[in-house]
Amino acid sequence: MSTLSDLVYAQGRSSAEDVEWLHRLAGDGQLLADLAFADIVLWVPTSDDGFVAVAHTRPSGAATLFYRDIVGDLVRPQWRTQVRDAFQTGRIVDSASPDWFEETPTRVRAVPVVRSRGTEPAQTIGVLTRHTNLGEARIPSRQQITFNDCADELFGMAATGDFPDMSAPTAPRRGAPRASDGLVRLDVDGITTFASPNALSAFNRLGFDDELEGESLVEVVTGILPANRQFDESLPVVVTGRAPWRTDIEARGVTVSLRTIPLRDHGKRIGAIVLCRDVTEIRHQEQELITKDATIREIHHRVKNNLQTVASLLRIQSRRSHTEEAREALTQAMRRVSAIAVVHDTLSEGLAQNVDFDEVFARVLKLVAEVAAAPNTRARTHSTGQFGTLPSEYATPLALALTELVTNAVEHGLAGQEGDVEIIAERTGEHLEVRVRDTGSGLPEGQVGRGLGTQIVRTLIQGELGGTIDWHTIMGSGTEVTIEIPLRYIDRSKN
């Protein structure tokens, strides 16, 4: 399905600022639909003077009229004139009589979407349509009347360029208050004129045991908050309805998230809507995740430190060895441990259990080049292509395998001479291919696969990563080793 941006830009009539405005408005589509108890559709003009739907939101507290998604559809003939009139005149246009949609009586309201542009004249960039199902008409409750009034005020603000408020900060949608979670209506002085039952329940859980209506919300919140606890500096302007903001209040072990939407009439503030939601459980889960992430990072950090200690001990021991064979074995072990430490060091720096393997391999390659080169060997190592981001399950065995291959290329392929070692990475959607190529003399026939390093590489690539490895040896022309790894192998093995 095309995104809102794709659909808008495809019409060739909107700027980047228009798209951002429409994105903000579409982001509040659920709020408008729930307040209006109606389907909300956002239309933008096409190049041939028609209109195309770029967003559609169904109400969560009422039956939808549209059982199929209409995003990407052109405006239907029965709405075209009404939508065009709203767009051209810049005024809200209501249907003169019930509009029948699939044998259901509906009422349609077309609202021009006006973008304010500072000192420049405001511009109509789209149209919102509100489709109300009259087939379920019943005597409205006080809450429904208030919700509809709030919806009408927001639609009026959309028609004058006062909604959405582009100065409002964007925030994660997880835990964002919704109309059904709790709604408080404030007048221009910050006095509560309406509080839904869910809103009253949320404040009761915070410790307020009276009625909200008729009370100053800022005084209510001030009385709830513990005297010795710091609170968000934005809280006063949120609870007085003066700024479009989100904040949390916490008391008695309960956390309630607040979102304020100031209401304006042609730019003049006339009150506010405050949405509230008990997010105690969500905040507990987030805190647990933060603690878990911090613990995982600390574990990786300690593992890295321990591995570096082991590598240092191996280095010291190798220097004190009396035989060249023992010294070489300890040096190789030190190099392998150091390569694994690099992966854990990278994992300790981020929240995700994925690593930028290009960064990891750059550090590993530098480590290998410094340690492996003999005094009479001059090896130039360089890599091309990109490995991309890999899960930690891939990173450790792949880093260790490439350490072995580059080490072999330097120590054996270029032994006693000058040459190049090139590592080429090619990644597609489901595969990663890596070639390690040196310009040395090549391995003698029958020597491939005998050494410990080669056995380690085979175990890591074939056993742990489910890949393949192939040596191409041409006497006098160097050696090329090709690794192919299916990127979804580990995921499949867990199922």
Side-chain angles (χ1 to χ4, degrees):
M1 180 183 296
S2 299
T3 65
L4 183 148
S5 299
D6 294 336
L7 290 169
V8 174
Y9 279 129
Q11 313 315 314
R13 298 185 55 168
S14 301
S15 64
E17 291 78 10
D18 293 340
V19 173
E20 177 62 24
W21 191 280
L22 293 168
H23 259 296
R24 286 287 190 103
L25 185 59
D28 276 321
Q30 193 63 59
L31 172 64
L32 294 172
D34 291 345
L35 291 175
F37 298 94
D39 286 88
I40 303 298
V41 184
L42 177 58
W43 308 87
V44 297
T46 62
S47 56
D48 57 356
D49 294 328
F51 292 86
V52 63
V54 296
H56 171 214
T57 309
R58 297 175 173 86
S60 57
T64 181
L65 288 169
F66 305 103
Y67 296 98
R68 293 185 178 88
D69 198 349
I70 66 171
V71 172
D73 291 354
L74 296 177
V75 66
R76 303 195 179 195
Q78 63 264 41
W79 308 324
R80 186 182 297 119
T81 300
Q82 189 177 350
V83 171
R84 183 182 296 115
D85 288 347
F87 184 82
Q88 293 177 347
T89 65
R91 295 195 300 268
I92 296 175
V93 180
D94 288 311
S95 54
S97 59
D99 176 74
W100 289 85
F101 180 79
E102 296 184 356
E103 300 182 355
T104 301
T106 66
R107 183 172 62 249
V108 181
R109 167 171 288 187
V111 180
V113 176
V114 176
R115 180 172 76 86
S116 60
R117 301 191 297 170
T119 58
E120 299 181 24
Q123 179 184 6
T124 303
I125 60 175
V127 176
L128 279 173
T129 52
R130 167 181 173 175
H131 304 260
T132 305
N133 187 344
L134 299 179
E136 294 188 344
R138 59 184 185 273
I139 298 176
S141 64
R142 181 167 175 251
Q143 175 170 311
Q144 186 172 354
I145 292 173
T146 303
F147 276 31
N148 275 311
D149 289 343
C150 292
D152 289 341
E153 287 167 325
L154 292 178
F155 284 127
M157 290 168 59
T160 57
D162 292 319
F163 185 77
D165 193 325
M166 300 302 286
S167 65
T170 56
R173 297 201 177 277
R174 175 178 166 81
R178 301 160 297 191
S180 58
D181 296 320
L183 181 144
V184 176
R185 173 68 186 270
L186 303 179
D187 65 13
V188 69
D189 298 316
I191 305 300
T192 303
T193 61
F194 172 82
S196 70
N198 285 344
L200 182 59
S201 295
F203 278 89
N204 288 162
R205 288 191 289 274
L206 288 168
F208 180 74
D209 56 4
D210 204 345
E211 294 294 328
L212 280 173
E213 293 185 18
E215 299 288 340
S216 168
L217 189 60
V218 68
E219 293 179 3
V220 169
V221 172
T222 302
I224 290 173
L225 293 175
N228 60 347
R229 177 169 294 175
Q230 293 184 341
F231 55 85
D232 192 337
E233 295 179 355
S234 64
L235 184 59
V237 293
V238 172
V239 296
T240 55
R242 296 179 180 275
W245 215 262
R246 271 183 63 181
T247 189
D248 287 355
I249 55 176
E250 184 177 353
R252 300 173 61 179
V254 175
T255 305
V256 173
S257 181
L258 302 178
R259 179 196 175 188
T260 295
I261 305 171
L263 298 176
R264 297 184 176 88
D265 183 5
H266 291 84
K268 181 181 179 181
R269 191 170 62 85
I270 59 173
I273 298 171
V274 180
L275 304 176
C276 49
R277 179 179 182 180
D278 187 338
V279 294
T280 305
E281 187 61 31
I282 293 175
R283 294 295 180 262
H284 283 168
Q285 293 174 358
E286 291 174 349
Q287 188 59 46
E288 288 176 358
L289 289 174
I290 291 173
T291 302
K292 177 183 175 182
D293 288 335
T295 302
I296 292 173
R297 290 201 305 273
E298 179 62 21
I299 290 172
H300 283 302
H301 181 72
R302 293 189 181 188
V303 170
K304 181 262 298 185
N305 288 343
N306 291 337
L307 289 173
Q308 288 180 338
T309 300
V310 172
S312 298
L313 293 174
L314 291 171
R315 183 183 297 108
I316 293 171
Q317 188 66 43
S318 69
R319 291 172 179 173
R320 296 188 177 186
S321 298
H322 299 293
T323 66
E324 184 63 29
E325 183 179 359
R327 186 179 300 111
E328 176 64 19
L330 290 170
T331 300
Q332 290 182 0
M334 180 271 295
R335 185 168 53 245
R336 290 160 185 155
V337 171
S338 297
I340 299 174
V342 169
V343 177
H344 284 282
D345 188 29
T346 305
L347 288 169
S348 70
E349 297 173 354
L351 294 176
Q353 290 301 295
N354 295 323
V355 295
D356 181 353
F357 197 80
D358 293 290
E359 177 185 346
V360 170
F361 184 65
R363 296 171 61 181
V364 169
L365 186 59
K366 182 178 179 181
L367 174 70
V368 172
E370 290 176 352
V371 177
N376 58 345
T377 300
R378 294 186 60 186
R380 294 181 294 270
T381 58
H382 53 95
S383 61
T384 59
Q386 290 187 332
F387 293 91
T389 301
L390 296 175
S392 57
E393 298 97 322
Y394 285 80
T396 299
L398 183 58
L400 193 53
L402 292 177
T403 297
E404 296 297 329
L405 292 176
V406 174
T407 300
N408 285 341
V410 173
E411 290 185 344
H412 302 292
L414 299 177
Q417 57 182 294
E418 179 179 349
D420 296 311
V421 177
E422 183 179 12
I423 301 90
I424 306 165
E426 295 182 3
R427 181 169 179 170
T428 61
E430 297 184 358
H431 289 85
L432 173 66
E433 180 181 283
V434 185
R435 298 195 302 276
V436 180
R437 178 188 303 161
D438 66 69
T439 58
S441 55
L443 293 175
E445 187 67 27
Q447 292 297 312
V448 175
R450 288 188 175 184
L452 175 62
T454 302
Q455 295 178 27
I456 291 175
V457 172
R458 289 189 187 277
T459 300
L460 293 171
I461 298 301
Q462 297 176 347
E464 294 197 29
L465 297 178
T468 61
I469 182 168
D470 186 31
W471 277 264
H472 303 279
T473 304
I474 302 176
M475 189 67 67
S477 301
T479 304
E480 180 179 271
V481 184
T482 303
I483 294 173
E484 290 188 5
I485 301 171
L487 295 180
R488 296 181 182 179
Y489 170 75
I490 291 178
D491 292 335
R492 288 199 305 268
S493 67
K494 293 181 179 179
N495 293 334

